[in-house]
Amino acid sequence: MSGSLAILLGALSLSTLHNNSYGGDNTTYYKFPKFWTNSGLCPLGNITHRSITDYLRSDTMQGNLLHLSALPHGALTHLRIHWLLELLEFQQFTQSGLPIFDFSLLDEFLIDLDMMNINPVVEFMGNFSNLFEKNPTYNDVIWDDLTYQVTKRYLNMFGAKKVLNWRFETWNEPDVISYNKLNFSLKDYVIYANSIKQGLIRAGARPTNSLHIPLRGPAGLFKKRSHHPICWGILEHCNANIDECPIDILTFHRKGSSPNASVILDESVHLLSDIYKAFPNIQQLLFSNDEADPLAGWSMPRDFQEDVRYALTFANIVLDHWKAKLDRKIFAHFEDLSNDNAFLSYHPFEFSQRTLLAHFRMNNSVPPYSQFIQKPIYAAMGMLSRLADMAASPIAIKTSNGLTLNVLKTTANKGQPMYSSWLVVPANESAYVNTMVTTNFHLCGNEVNAFIVEVIDQQLTNPVRIWRQFNSPPYPNSTVREVMRFHQTMKIHDTGISTTSDILLKLSNLSYPWLMLLRMCSNLNGLPDQPQNLQITRVTKSEVILTWQESTNSVSQYCLKTYQVWFRENQNSEWLKISNNWHLPFPFFQYAPVQNSQIVNGFYKVRSVDVFNRTSSFSAEVQYIEI
Ligand SMILES: *[C@@H]1O[C@H](CO)[C@@H](O)[C@H](O)[C@H]1NC(C)=O
Ligand SMILES: *[C@@H]1O[C@H](CO)[C@@H](O)[C@H](O)[C@H]1NC(C)=O
Ligand SMILES: *[C@@H]1O[C@H](CO)[C@@H](O)[C@H](O)[C@H]1NC(C)=O
Ligand SMILES: *[C@@H]1O[C@H](CO)[C@@H](O)[C@H](O)[C@H]1NC(C)=O
Ligand SMILES: *[C@@H]1O[C@H](CO)[C@@H](O)[C@H](O)[C@H]1NC(C)=O
Ligand SMILES: *[C@@H]1O[C@H](CO)[C@@H](O)[C@H](O)[C@H]1NC(C)=O
Ligand SMILES: *[C@@H]1O[C@H](CO)[C@@H](O)[C@H](O)[C@H]1NC(C)=O
Ligand SMILES: *[C@@H]1O[C@H](CO)[C@@H](O)[C@H](O)[C@H]1NC(C)=O
Ligand SMILES: *[C@@H]1O[C@H](CO)[C@@H](O)[C@H](O)[C@H]1NC(C)=O
Ligand SMILES: *[C@@H]1O[C@H](CO)[C@@H](O)[C@H](O)[C@H]1NC(C)=O
């Protein structure tokens, strides 16, 4: 390890880095962009305005989005939804032959996403009531205009600052027949991609400093060239004249072939070396694997996708890609990866499909409605959002019984009070012994450091296990749901004030697979910020979901231990803490008092508690009245 680290340091001498400023430790830290905070989904059903609209506006999808938005700030930043633009409704042509669309449903959906702090990935794909079959020789003009209309409208509506965080991408997997609804030939496709790019340029044009809105593509599978002529063909076209390439960021899909994470990286490296060998100019582009999943086929039920195994695979995908990014060879222009796992699971595969949430459609209720349970992969996405902005190259630590821990150390930027967050991942499927680690943090003056260790574990935080214990009911009753929810998120494993620079990692009680996050935090970090935008959403009778927003300043969440939820029935009654016994590390609480005497009508407020037991001010009070 130390040998390869030395080589790495040499290679990285030009990049931004700094040494740990808190101790005598020589760890080198690098800027650590959170490159894994993307997810995606594809609506089921026909590719028509009506079908896609019904799916995306359904109460089930709204419930799914509500849960996705209730991850900590920055855990899930982008959502790639195929056929999103089908929310546009083609109305008629103008006299000059340009399409007029009804934008109202797309507006509404994007405003909702924006309120949830989720950025869309807009893929220019759709049928638009057979718009492109009406006069095919004219399709270049229509694509250019459609792109311009969409992009310009949302620049005006949301402002450039926001929309530049969105992503714009070409048609998903254009070589796959089930996606290539327009039957693009390579020639058609090149015209299409150039037209999209033109539309983006026109939308970003300003009298001075025009906006550069990058186009991502070709979102290709890049199987054999003879089978996938379009994605390979556009790269050939671009290589020949890179300055006229419509694509700014290369996107491809490389998945694994087993739960083993390293295959994804290996496959990506293979593909990139093939691409770069054939088309060297493509090396200039940033690239993204925007479907970087362990296995193809989201709906295929697989045991490992149910439990902590998938969470561990995800953590390893992140570690592997971070190492590759630091290596700077073929991964020099790695931008990010996306996990295609925001789908809605369906019966009888509630837990086993590739999703973040287990979805139960409660058909035994009138009317039917949806319940969601957070899977360990969801908890893992939340967990990784607590990593800091600078990270070292992952290291392997040997325990006294000869096992390996992979440890990713991250730290706050220089000049800020101490915050350090370590992701600890087991490399062996064995029982670990408790292990002392040295943090090397020096305290100055009357500074105090606290630590908190949170875990995801196959025994303690594994709701599918609970579901099985109750014989996998298709309609889990309120008791079963409560027990599952009690096991759905990270648990506090250990916390306290640090008195020495050594910390004992208590590993012997963990059940493989598990993930651990150790956070250390100085009291010089401020108090947690007040929770914002408390919202109460009805689930069913006497059951609500509370969500709120964390400060967009992630520094203020560094020392967060948990949230508390308080309730009172009316303005004269006492406030009661209703979140007793729950660890609430994420801005989410589902309140379903089991006893009939308890009701959900009343006032709610939320605050955060940090590792020093300091509390933030309460959120604004919000009243809920059941209809
Ligand atoms: C840091 O590196 C220097 C020079 O390589 C070495 O002498 C020193 O012992 C190292 N310190 C620690 C804490 O590892
Ligand atoms: C999809 O279209 C087919 C044929 O038009 C129709 O039979 C089917 O019901 C549609 N499915 C949905 C989900 O709308
Ligand atoms: C496109 O939309 C039209 C009208 O809404 C529908 O009849 C047709 O089946 C759709 N085409 C595809 C390829 O889904
Ligand atoms: C698709 O295009 C090819 C030529 O590019 C043509 O041979 C084929 O008939 C077309 N298929 C359909 C369904 O239009
Ligand atoms: C995972 O796959 C890599 C090859 O991509 C292999 O070297 C490694 O041994 C595999 N690990 C496991 C646990 O199967
Ligand atoms: C533990 O895992 C590491 C890394 O995969 C491996 O090198 C080592 O041989 C494993 N140790 C045991 C005892 O299985
Ligand atoms: C509930 O009803 C939906 C729609 O009819 C169906 O797809 C689903 O399989 C049903 N769920 C269960 C658990 O039976
Ligand atoms: C839910 O089901 C479990 C097991 O089937 C049972 O023990 C429990 O009493 C039920 N709870 C309610 C509220 O019906
Ligand atoms: C950890 O495991 C030991 C031995 O199995 C047991 O005695 C102890 O109670 C466990 N501790 C916790 C916190 O579960
Ligand atoms: C915070 O409060 C809990 C519960 O009262 C207590 O066990 C813990 O020691 C306190 N932590 C600190 C850092 O004071």
Side-chain angles (χ1 to χ4, degrees):
M1 199 65 216
S2 58
S4 63
L5 196 65
I7 294 168
L8 209 124
L9 288 179
L12 276 164
S13 55
L14 292 176
S15 79
T16 319
L17 53 84
H18 77 80
N19 287 329
N20 186 336
S21 52
Y22 308 109
D25 173 3
N26 285 342
T27 307
T28 305
Y29 289 92
Y30 309 88
K31 265 195 183 141
F32 184 51
K34 296 198 169 65
F35 52 77
W36 59 82
T37 62
N38 315 295
S39 188
L41 70 100
C42 185
L44 298 179
N46 296 327
I47 316 306
T48 58
H49 172 69
R50 182 90 333 260
S51 174
I52 301 286
T53 302
D54 288 349
Y55 190 84
L56 291 180
R57 286 163 53 95
S58 64
D59 67 299
T60 313
M61 180 52 68
Q62 294 301 314
N64 188 36
L65 294 174
L66 178 70
H67 281 76
L68 300 182
S69 73
L71 280 160
H73 179 74
L76 194 161
T77 57
H78 290 84
L79 199 55
R80 185 166 170 268
I81 302 176
H82 293 334
W83 311 113
L84 178 66
L85 290 187
E86 275 296 325
L87 290 174
L88 289 177
E89 189 167 26
F90 171 71
Q91 292 183 313
Q92 61 183 83
F93 287 106
T94 62
Q95 286 191 338
S96 53
L98 296 175
I100 299 175
F101 298 102
D102 179 347
F103 274 84
S104 50
L105 295 170
L106 183 59
D107 287 356
E108 185 186 293
F109 190 84
L110 291 173
I111 288 168
D112 283 350
L113 270 194
D114 178 56
M115 301 223 295
M116 299 180 186
N117 266 326
I118 297 176
N119 295 300
V121 179
V122 177
E123 294 167 296
F124 291 103
M125 57 194 283
N127 172 20
F128 311 106
S129 313
N130 287 326
L131 175 61
F132 294 99
E133 282 173 24
K134 296 186 174 27
N135 186 359
T137 56
Y138 199 56
N139 280 352
D140 56 339
V141 177
I142 300 205
W143 277 118
D144 179 336
D145 186 66
L146 185 155
T147 305
Y148 173 81
Q149 284 194 49
V150 168
T151 313
K152 189 74 183 172
R153 181 182 188 86
Y154 296 116
L155 281 168
N156 289 340
M157 193 180 280
F158 294 101
K161 194 163 167 246
K162 260 186 191 157
V163 174
L164 288 176
N165 282 326
W166 295 14
R167 289 171 181 169
F168 297 91
E169 193 169 24
T170 55
W171 200 292
N172 183 60
E173 297 183 356
D175 293 291
V176 174
I177 292 172
S178 61
Y179 285 113
N180 186 0
K181 298 282 186 198
L182 301 189
N183 196 23
F184 283 126
S185 65
L186 174 58
K187 185 163 160 273
D188 301 332
Y189 181 83
V190 171
I191 292 171
Y192 152 86
N194 282 323
S195 309
I196 303 284
K197 181 66 192 170
Q198 279 315 307
L200 287 176
I201 291 172
R202 288 203 297 127
R206 299 197 292 200
T208 56
N209 55 46
S210 290
L211 303 171
H212 172 68
I213 306 171
L215 178 62
R216 308 158 76 85
L221 272 177
F222 290 95
K223 295 284 167 66
K224 274 219 293 276
R225 183 149 183 196
S226 51
H227 285 94
H228 286 177
I230 295 180
C231 56
W232 286 105
I234 185 84
L235 295 193
E236 180 172 34
H237 171 83
C238 282
N239 187 59
N241 191 347
I242 194 78
D243 295 332
E244 279 172 24
C245 174
I247 288 171
D248 302 286
I249 298 175
L250 168 67
T251 58
F252 60 80
H253 301 163
R254 266 295 175 274
K255 310 216 183 205
S257 53
S258 72
N260 181 344
S262 61
V263 180
I264 300 171
L265 182 68
D266 294 349
E267 290 288 316
S268 303
V269 168
H270 259 125
L271 174 63
L272 285 168
S273 70
D274 288 350
I275 290 176
Y276 291 167
K277 201 177 319 159
F279 310 122
N281 292 331
I282 301 299
Q283 290 181 67
Q284 301 173 26
L285 307 183
L286 289 175
F287 72 87
S288 161
N289 181 358
D290 63 4
E291 290 190 18
D293 303 295
L295 280 157
W298 80 269
S299 60
M300 179 79 80
R302 294 180 178 113
D303 288 354
F304 85 94
Q305 287 168 171
E306 296 185 328
D307 57 36
V308 184
R309 284 174 285 175
Y310 183 24
L312 176 65
T313 301
F314 163 68
N316 281 323
I317 293 170
V318 170
L319 292 184
D320 283 352
H321 282 75
W322 175 234
K323 272 188 259 182
K325 189 173 162 70
L326 285 180
D327 255 349
R328 286 215 140 199
K329 292 178 194 127
I330 202 158
F331 257 61
H333 285 122
F334 174 59
E335 187 214 35
D336 69 356
L337 59 82
S338 178
N339 315 286
D340 209 25
N341 58 9
F343 294 89
L344 281 168
S345 67
Y346 51 78
H347 181 71
F349 312 121
E350 283 83 354
F351 279 93
S352 56
Q353 292 173 326
R354 193 212 295 142
T355 60
L356 292 163
L357 300 159
H359 167 222
F360 292 90
R361 186 66 184 169
M362 307 296 282
N363 292 339
N364 63 339
S365 189
V366 184
Y369 74 104
S370 288
Q371 285 277 357
F372 295 90
I373 302 293
Q374 300 164 11
K375 285 165 53 175
I377 175 67
Y378 178 98
M381 285 202 76
M383 183 184 241
L384 266 60
S385 74
R386 303 298 188 198
L387 295 170
D389 292 339
M390 306 287 291
S393 182
I395 54 167
I397 293 181
K398 276 259 182 291
T399 63
S400 63
N401 62 339
L403 302 178
T404 303
L405 293 171
N406 290 317
V407 178
L408 175 67
K409 300 183 180 183
T410 72
T411 188
N413 282 309
K414 206 170 186 161
Q416 287 174 4
M418 198 280 282
Y419 174 64
S420 186
S421 176
W422 295 8
L423 178 65
V424 182
V425 178
N428 306 102
E429 187 176 343
S430 305
Y432 280 75
V433 294
N434 293 344
T435 297
M436 194 68 88
V437 290
T438 301
T439 61
N440 278 317
F441 296 120
H442 290 191
L443 298 181
C444 54
N446 47 8
E447 188 176 6
V448 182
N449 280 349
F451 69 94
I452 179 166
V453 178
E454 287 164 303
V455 296
I456 302 172
D457 156 294
Q458 192 73 339
Q459 197 68 23
L460 287 176
T461 64
N462 189 12
V464 73
R465 198 175 61 84
I466 308 294
W467 189 51
R468 291 258 158 69
Q469 279 172 5
F470 286 102
N471 299 316
S472 313
Y475 312 120
N477 69 24
S478 57
T479 318
V480 177
R481 296 197 306 264
E482 182 174 60
V483 187
M484 287 196 288
R485 281 202 303 275
F486 201 71
H487 289 82
Q488 75 183 351
T489 199
M490 313 191 281
K491 284 266 175 289
I492 298 184
H493 190 61
D494 199 5
T495 182
I497 299 292
S498 325
T499 48
T500 68
S501 65
D502 294 332
I503 288 183
L504 182 68
L505 297 181
K506 297 177 182 160
L507 306 174
S508 65
N509 286 58
L510 298 175
S511 309
Y512 183 90
W514 49 266
L515 291 176
M516 175 181 276
L517 186 76
L518 162 64
R519 289 184 288 141
M520 287 155 284
C521 164
S522 150
N523 65 335
L524 300 184
N525 285 291
L527 296 172
D529 279 349
Q530 175 190 39
Q532 302 291 322
N533 295 332
L534 175 60
Q535 271 190 48
I536 304 170
T537 308
R538 178 193 162 94
V539 179
T540 183
K541 189 173 165 355
S542 299
E543 184 163 352
V544 291
I545 284 177
L546 285 87
T547 52
W548 53 96
Q549 280 176 3
E550 296 190 337
S551 167
T552 53
N553 175 11
S554 59
V555 172
S556 76
Q557 303 308 118
Y558 280 169
C559 304
L560 177 78
K561 179 161 75 180
T562 191
Y563 289 102
Q564 291 177 345
V565 182
W566 294 71
F567 170 78
R568 65 175 171 181
E569 222 176 294
N570 58 58
Q571 267 154 342
N572 301 319
S573 45
E574 290 282 301
W575 282 104
L576 297 171
K577 192 164 82 178
I578 54 173
S579 57
N580 277 329
N581 303 325
W582 293 89
H583 178 45
L584 302 181
F586 303 157
F588 175 95
F589 182 59
Q590 189 152 347
Y591 186 47
V594 177
Q595 287 100 322
N596 287 333
S597 60
Q598 280 173 282
I599 56 158
V600 295
N601 279 347
F603 297 84
Y604 294 83
K605 61 182 183 179
V606 179
R607 68 177 175 185
S608 39
V609 183
D610 77 2
V611 287
F612 300 98
N613 287 341
R614 301 179 298 187
T615 52
S616 73
S617 39
F618 277 106
S619 69
E621 287 173 30
V622 175
Q623 186 176 15
Y624 179 74
I625 303 173
E626 192 154 68
I627 322 157

